[in-house]
Amino acid sequence: MEPIIRVQKLHKVYRVGREQVVALDNINLTVQKGQMICILGPSGSGKSTLLNQLAGLEKPTSGDVYIHKRRISAMTENQLAAFRQKHIGFIFQSYNLMPTMTALENVALPLMFRGMPVFKRNRLAADMLRKVDLADRMKHKPTEMSGGQQQRVGIARAFVARPSIVFADEPTGNLDTRTTYNVMKMIIEMTRQNNITFILVTHDAELAQYADRIITLLDGRVVGDKANLSMVDREGAEAAAEAADAARLERFQSLAGEDKPSDPPHEGESPPSKRPPAIDPRLAPSPSDEGEIELETH
Amino acid sequence: MKISDILTMCFRNLSRSKSRTLLTVIGVVVGTCAIVVMISIGIGLQASTDAMLAQMPDLTVINVMNYGGVNSKTGEPLVLDDLAISGILAQPRVVAATPIYQPYDLNMQVVSGNRDRYQMWPSIMGVYPEAMEAFGYELIEGSFDFTNTKKNSVTALVGEYTDYNFRDTRKKGVYSGISPYPDEKGEIPAPYVNLSTETARLVLQSYDSSKPPLTYDIVVKGRLKEDWSKDYETSRGFYMDIAELKKLSEAYRKANKIKDSESTNTGYEQAKVKVSDIKYVEEVESYIQELGYQTYSMETTRKPLQQQARQQQVILGSLGAISLIVAAIGIANTMFMSILERTREIGIMKVVGCFVQDIRVAFLIEASAIGLMGGAVGVILSFGVSFLMNTFGFSIGGNPYGYYGEAAPTDVSIIPWWLVIGALIFSTLVGLISGYFPANRAVKIEALEAIKHE
């Protein structure tokens, strides 16, 4: 099966003054349609850079990113804009809503850029806002809403154009625990319902538990890539998550402490749709050639 | 993005910082108003110059003269005969041409009344009858038809006041004529002879008084309106078909046994050429000069006048342009400020999938809208300023060419429709150009940097 995202030998080097900072160092990975992926890493690990590369917001120094078999790393700015309109949704930590627009207009924004007539896009946007429980906030401006409400507007905007991939960069970074839970639940519902590939970037190992597959990044390299087994029952498993988190943190620390990770590469394939709530046997780690990661040293 | 969405976005952004938009628009208003008023004054000057020129002799007429010129190519004497004139008439832009023949060598008299009591020495001009209408001669009565059916007679058109040239030979004193001016009672006195109703004869006196004079009855076909921009004859002379006048001349020579002189072989001494429009006068005139003839037209007078008017317009226009440049800088500044403020939003738009050209177009429309609004208000304000200037007779320069006669007073400031359209287009363009660099800046904003921007 052709992966929805394929990254090949991706390098990104920033020039800071005379110094060269390697942000991404030979990243190779594939993502299947419908997967929920978490890119986990501490700040400065290159996870945001990787997200930007995947979304075509930045050009790589070398290597390629393919989405839907199209090489987005070679697209022009206009091609990328059209591509983003069609395939990609974004959720940001700081919501990034247009301050002068109402919730409805913000949600309709991607549809406006596509050239959709106003009555049609407003209807779709209103539907989305109802789905995120903001039916009574449609005419409100971002400044008149709480952080959680703003992020729900952000979610509605990310999903309104029926993208195939949604990227989220620390989507709950500015939210409290309770709101975080609601927001993540909402995102997961939406991605599952529509079989959308979801890529979450965070430094929060706890948040990573919402994903099917966790890719750990450190110093611009993939140091871990494995299926997440703790998705047994997300809705009620706070304790389980904590326990898993502790275990994960331990492993994360052990990984961070070593130059050469000892973990073997893991396969993180997930089924495209209609996932049962119980553990899917296919989620079990198994050595496979699909979606493998190369842990090269340079 | 739909253009309607782009427009909505632009006006939302403009109304977001109302006071800043307003100040920028005021800058354009002042600039547009300055440039429109200055140009309108220039147009006013031009109009007063034109009004003056209109009082001068017909501007579209070229006088052609041939006083013994030579053909520049062959070296032979230059000929200005009917053939040469038909050649000139065949040129494009030439609507009419006629030779002018005034037989100064003929000793002529017009007599009327009992025993030729009333007499005058006529001034007769021979022209092509068919050209008269094209040259703009106006009739008070009669027609330009010179057809002669009566034997031993000549046909003629008379000037408006030709009748008043008759003098009473029996009257002694300093002045034996009647003037066509109102007397003490305010009435214009009647002349001795009314040529339209009474008979008169043309008498060609002999070279020596031994031979009898040749006499012809004068058949008056019409009366011309006096027009000092044309000839003296429209006021107090006679016009005759040039062919008929030449026959008279021949008859006179024959009777007096005068041999043809050299000059008769070179045709007419003068001709008039009427050009379709003032702008072609120079072209036709230089063509005639190339043929070897001397010419004279009002073009030589008109040109420096117009040049001066144009210079004044340029100076006035430049003064206005300076203030519009200042306004343009204001627009650019406002747009840069606005982009700085909206960096983050531009970033969001890009990330969410807005095409860069849409962002560019949005900023260009915003800047153009400022220009257009300022231009529209500026034009309205200009009409007010123009009205005040015209009402209170505020004047620049005055009329330095008074010696051509007092021109009818024209407005100091004139705003024609094209100036209104031009000012609107120009101010919009100024906005567009001022918005160009800011829009480029907006397009180049890195989406990633922008969304981190606070």
Side-chain angles (χ1 to χ4, degrees):
Chain A
M1 184 182 166
E2 179 65 31
I4 191 164
I5 301 175
R6 189 153 57 88
V7 179
Q8 278 185 340
K9 295 181 181 169
L10 189 69
H11 291 261
K12 180 69 188 179
V13 180
Y14 289 110
R15 210 176 284 272
V16 181
R18 287 184 180 176
E19 300 276 312
Q20 287 202 338
V21 178
V22 179
L24 294 175
D25 188 1
N26 196 27
I27 306 288
N28 292 280
L29 59 90
T30 56
V31 176
Q32 297 298 336
K33 185 164 171 57
Q35 271 191 332
M36 292 190 64
I37 305 241
C38 177
I39 298 172
L40 181 69
S43 66
S45 61
K47 59 187 192 307
S48 287
T49 307
L50 179 57
L51 177 103
N52 294 335
Q53 295 290 333
L54 294 178
L57 291 175
E58 273 185 313
K59 292 271 177 244
T61 308
S62 69
D64 287 305
V65 176
Y66 294 87
I67 296 180
H68 288 297
K69 299 185 195 172
R70 292 182 64 191
R71 193 171 150 213
I72 64 158
S73 45
M75 281 184 186
T76 65
E77 202 154 359
N78 274 331
Q79 287 172 321
L80 277 171
F83 190 81
R84 280 200 283 268
Q85 281 177 7
K86 210 173 165 188
H87 297 292
I88 292 174
F90 275 100
I91 303 168
F92 303 94
Q93 176 175 8
S94 48
Y95 326 126
N96 279 332
L97 303 177
M98 300 291 270
T100 54
M101 294 184 173
T102 62
L104 188 73
E105 286 167 332
N106 264 293
V107 175
L109 198 65
L111 303 175
M112 182 173 94
F113 293 152
R114 279 189 183 188
M116 189 182 280
V118 64
F119 67 93
K120 198 174 169 192
R121 65 176 191 244
N122 279 353
R123 204 184 60 220
L124 289 174
D127 283 349
M128 281 313 293
L129 280 170
R130 274 190 282 276
K131 280 186 195 165
V132 297
D133 297 330
L134 285 175
D136 55 339
R137 289 284 187 276
M138 286 187 192
K139 298 290 170 201
H140 289 230
K141 295 216 167 141
T143 46
E144 298 157 358
M145 288 187 279
S146 70
Q149 287 171 331
Q150 287 188 55
Q151 192 57 299
R152 271 139 69 192
V153 174
I155 292 166
R157 184 180 67 186
F159 285 93
V160 74
R162 305 195 167 278
S164 48
I165 306 168
V166 170
F167 293 99
D169 191 356
E170 303 280 13
T172 57
N174 291 355
L175 304 176
D176 59 42
T177 318
R178 186 178 181 81
T179 320
T180 297
Y181 175 73
N182 287 333
V183 161
M184 284 313 292
K185 197 179 136 195
M186 205 164 262
I187 294 175
I188 286 158
E189 272 173 22
M190 293 229 180
T191 52
R192 289 283 182 251
Q193 277 166 15
N194 300 298
N195 191 23
I196 291 167
T197 310
F198 181 63
I199 297 181
L200 169 72
V201 168
T202 186
H203 67 281
D204 182 355
E206 196 175 323
L207 203 63
Q209 299 317 310
Y210 290 96
D212 303 336
R213 176 182 164 197
I214 300 170
I215 296 167
T216 314
L217 224 62
L218 194 66
D219 292 336
R221 292 181 204 168
V222 175
V223 292
D225 184 353
K226 59 197 174 301
N228 181 14
L229 297 172
S230 71
M231 345 187 307
V232 193
D233 181 8
R234 286 195 182 94
E235 311 218 346
E238 292 226 307
E242 259 171 51
D245 180 46
R248 219 167 299 281
L249 200 68
E250 199 180 322
R251 187 158 40 178
F252 173 73
Q253 280 162 348
S254 74
L255 285 173
E258 289 176 38
D259 268 340
K260 291 185 179 181
S262 51
D263 274 16
H266 285 290
E267 148 66 5
E269 191 186 310
S270 65
S273 62
K274 288 184 183 167
R275 171 192 308 269
I279 297 174
D280 190 311
R282 280 176 294 182
L283 282 173
S286 63
S288 161
D289 53 356
E290 269 286 328
E292 71 179 330
I293 50 161
E294 291 172 28
L295 300 174
E296 287 182 23
T297 54
H298 293 268
Chain B
M1 248 173 119
K2 285 198 181 320
I3 191 76
S4 57
D5 288 328
I6 295 180
L7 285 174
T8 312
M9 200 168 73
C10 288
F11 285 101
R12 187 187 295 225
N13 284 329
L14 282 176
S15 58
R16 183 152 52 157
S17 48
K18 285 190 188 69
S19 53
R20 192 176 60 197
T21 304
L22 191 69
L23 287 171
T24 317
V25 168
I26 288 172
V28 184
V29 168
V30 172
T32 311
C33 187
I35 209 164
V36 168
V37 168
M38 290 299 175
I39 290 176
S40 79
I41 292 170
I43 294 167
L45 281 173
Q46 176 84 56
S48 73
T49 308
D50 287 348
M52 239 143 44
L53 287 166
Q55 296 212 325
M56 298 183 200
D58 194 338
L59 298 171
T60 55
V61 170
I62 302 166
N63 289 287
V64 183
M65 289 158 286
N66 181 32
Y67 298 121
V70 286
N71 189 315
S72 54
K73 283 169 195 149
T74 60
E76 284 168 16
L78 205 56
V79 178
L80 184 61
D81 54 8
D82 292 324
L83 187 69
I85 287 164
S86 66
I88 293 170
L89 187 56
Q91 290 302 308
R93 321 292 190 204
V94 176
V95 292
T98 178
I100 289 169
Y101 175 48
Q102 286 181 294
Y104 296 116
D105 51 339
L106 267 60
N107 186 359
M108 296 187 290
Q109 254 188 317
V110 176
V111 295
S112 182
N114 184 25
R115 294 167 69 188
D116 298 345
R117 177 178 172 173
Y118 306 110
Q119 301 183 351
M120 72 159 98
W121 282 274
S123 176
I124 301 176
M125 185 175 266
V127 293
Y128 288 164
E130 66 272 18
M132 287 192 83
E133 203 163 358
F135 273 94
Y137 289 99
E138 284 176 72
L139 286 164
I140 296 172
E141 56 184 39
S143 71
F144 291 115
D145 177 22
F146 283 80
T147 319
N148 190 358
T149 50
K150 206 172 156 193
K151 227 188 148 196
N152 214 24
S153 71
V154 291
T155 52
L157 293 177
V158 296
E160 188 166 355
Y161 302 109
T162 306
D163 300 348
Y164 290 92
N165 273 22
F166 279 109
R167 269 167 301 171
D168 188 350
T169 49
R170 294 192 201 154
K171 214 171 177 180
K172 308 287 177 216
V174 187
Y175 186 66
S176 53
I178 297 172
S179 297
Y181 303 115
D183 55 18
E184 306 86 50
K185 291 172 197 159
E187 284 167 12
I188 295 170
Y192 293 127
V193 181
N194 184 340
L195 284 166
S196 305
T197 53
E198 292 165 68
T199 55
R201 285 174 301 130
L202 181 68
V203 181
L204 298 183
Q205 299 289 355
S206 301
Y207 200 64
D208 51 67
S209 49
S210 60
K211 285 169 188 142
L214 302 167
T215 60
Y216 304 88
D217 288 338
I218 299 173
V219 180
V220 175
K221 290 283 191 171
R223 190 176 290 271
L224 287 162
K225 192 172 187 305
E226 184 185 57
D227 184 351
W228 284 102
S229 77
K230 295 198 167 59
D231 320 304
Y232 164 79
E233 284 75 12
T234 58
S235 177
R236 298 224 174 175
F238 295 83
Y239 286 88
M240 281 179 66
D241 183 346
I242 200 162
E244 204 172 358
L245 193 57
K246 280 202 293 191
K247 270 184 212 156
L248 278 188
S249 185
E250 271 165 37
Y252 174 80
R253 285 205 183 87
K254 210 170 158 187
N256 291 286
K257 298 192 173 67
I258 300 168
K259 281 181 184 166
D260 284 357
S261 66
E262 273 289 306
S263 64
T264 52
N265 297 329
T266 56
Y268 309 106
E269 288 184 332
Q270 269 191 66
K272 274 186 182 179
V273 175
K274 170 98 175 166
V275 181
S276 62
D277 193 281
I278 202 158
K279 59 187 173 221
Y280 303 122
V281 168
E282 198 177 1
E283 175 189 330
V284 174
E285 191 167 6
S286 65
Y287 165 78
I288 296 168
Q289 281 170 346
E290 271 170 40
L291 295 176
Y293 306 108
Q294 287 173 283
T295 61
Y296 173 75
S297 72
M298 284 313 291
E299 184 71 11
T300 40
T301 313
R302 190 179 73 97
K303 257 197 155 166
L305 281 183
Q306 284 204 323
Q307 252 165 12
Q308 196 168 349
R310 210 166 297 143
Q311 268 172 5
Q312 283 168 326
Q313 272 178 303
V314 168
I315 292 167
L316 292 169
S318 325
L319 285 175
I322 290 168
S323 45
L324 203 57
I325 289 168
V326 174
I329 296 167
I331 296 178
N333 187 38
T334 296
M335 294 311 294
F336 273 122
M337 286 296 292
S338 152
I339 284 162
L340 271 181
E341 272 176 18
R342 269 142 61 189
T343 301
R344 185 185 170 88
E345 286 168 48
I346 294 163
I348 298 169
M349 286 166 66
K350 280 189 166 182
V351 170
V352 175
C354 188
F355 289 111
V356 286
Q357 64 260 40
D358 288 344
I359 295 173
R360 188 195 303 273
V361 167
F363 276 96
L364 288 179
I365 289 178
E366 252 185 81
S368 308
I370 292 176
L372 182 61
M373 285 190 285
V377 178
V379 165
I380 294 166
L381 195 64
S382 306
F383 274 105
V385 173
S386 175
F387 174 78
L388 289 178
M389 281 167 72
N390 291 336
T391 308
F392 296 106
F394 178 74
S395 153
I396 291 178
N399 180 359
Y401 320 110
Y403 53 86
Y404 281 112
E406 270 310 304
T410 49
D411 282 344
V412 178
S413 155
I414 297 168
I415 304 176
W417 64 269
W418 59 260
L419 185 57
V420 173
I421 310 273
L424 291 178
I425 293 172
F426 190 61
S427 59
T428 310
L429 270 180
V430 164
L432 191 69
I433 293 163
S434 314
Y436 178 77
F437 292 104
N440 270 357
R441 167 81 67 87
V443 162
K444 283 188 190 127
I445 284 174
E446 290 279 336
L448 281 173
E449 291 300 313
I451 55 175
K452 286 177 200 154
H453 188 91
E454 287 300 328

